[in-house]
Amino acid sequence: MSEDVNARLGFDAGMEGRAGPHLSAAVCFRLIQALARRQRAAMDRALEDAGVTTQQAALLTTIGPGGAPSLSEAAAALQTSYQNIKQLAAALERKGLLETRRDPADRRIQRLAQSPTCAAFWASRDPDDYAAVGGMFQALSPDELGELQALLAKLFNSPPHPAG
């Protein structure tokens, strides 16, 4: 690992000794966190003109046309809290991109659905948004990007390991 990356990730000189055989995993963990923050900030800037955040856009994409997940299902899909989804949904409803509906079988459950204007919103956004995401990975060749995708999918599909 280069000294520049080491310093930017906040590793000190003694980290290698303390991390022992887990140093590479610790570096990967911090790199993923740092990249996630950087990518989210870049996407927030790309979406700024549309008046939505990356988190709001992620919620819209989990619903999809014809989908109607509950708030709890959406929270599980995005691995966030029910309260966070409720706040995101309220903001998107005010913007006219999402509708909340009571479940007819269980009135206690709120379901989320894309509004009629949501498809038009994505149709106007998709080419530029995909290009923005592509630009975030321009440092990688197509083969490297495929390898990264496979490795990240492998991590994502493995069960989380408890700390300790």
Side-chain angles (χ1 to χ4, degrees), residues 9-38:
L9 290 174
F11 283 106
D12 58 57
M15 181 65 80
E16 189 170 337
R18 292 191 312 275
H22 307 292
L23 181 64
S24 289
V27 171
C28 287
F29 180 79
R30 288 196 183 180
L31 279 168
I32 290 169
Q33 286 184 317
L35 283 169
R37 287 188 301 271
R38 185 170 78 184

Side-chain angles (χ1 to χ4, degrees), residues 14-130:
M15 181 65 80
E16 189 170 337
R18 292 191 312 275
H22 307 292
L23 181 64
S24 289
V27 171
C28 287
F29 180 79
R30 288 196 183 180
L31 279 168
I32 290 169
Q33 286 184 317
L35 283 169
R37 287 188 301 271
R38 185 170 78 184
Q39 306 300 53
R40 181 174 170 180
M43 201 64 205
D44 280 342
R45 285 189 301 276
L47 292 167
E48 190 173 31
D49 65 316
V52 297
T53 66
T54 302
Q55 282 190 306
Q56 291 169 349
L59 177 56
L60 288 174
T61 60
T62 62
I63 298 167
S70 69
L71 290 169
S72 296
E73 291 166 340
L78 291 178
Q79 299 182 13
T80 190
S81 70
Y82 175 93
Q83 187 60 35
N84 187 38
I85 294 298
K86 191 169 180 150
Q87 290 172 352
L88 292 170
L92 289 166
E93 197 163 24
R94 286 190 301 273
K95 295 172 187 186
L97 296 171
L98 180 136
E99 297 173 352
T100 56
R101 303 177 185 145
R102 293 283 174 197
D103 186 307
D106 186 343
R107 304 285 297 155
R108 295 171 296 177
I109 297 174
Q110 281 188 296
R111 297 222 167 258
L112 304 173
Q114 289 185 352
S115 72
T117 60
C118 194
F121 170 80
W122 286 121
S124 71
R125 299 274 336 157
D126 272 350
D128 291 336
D129 291 344
Y130 282 119

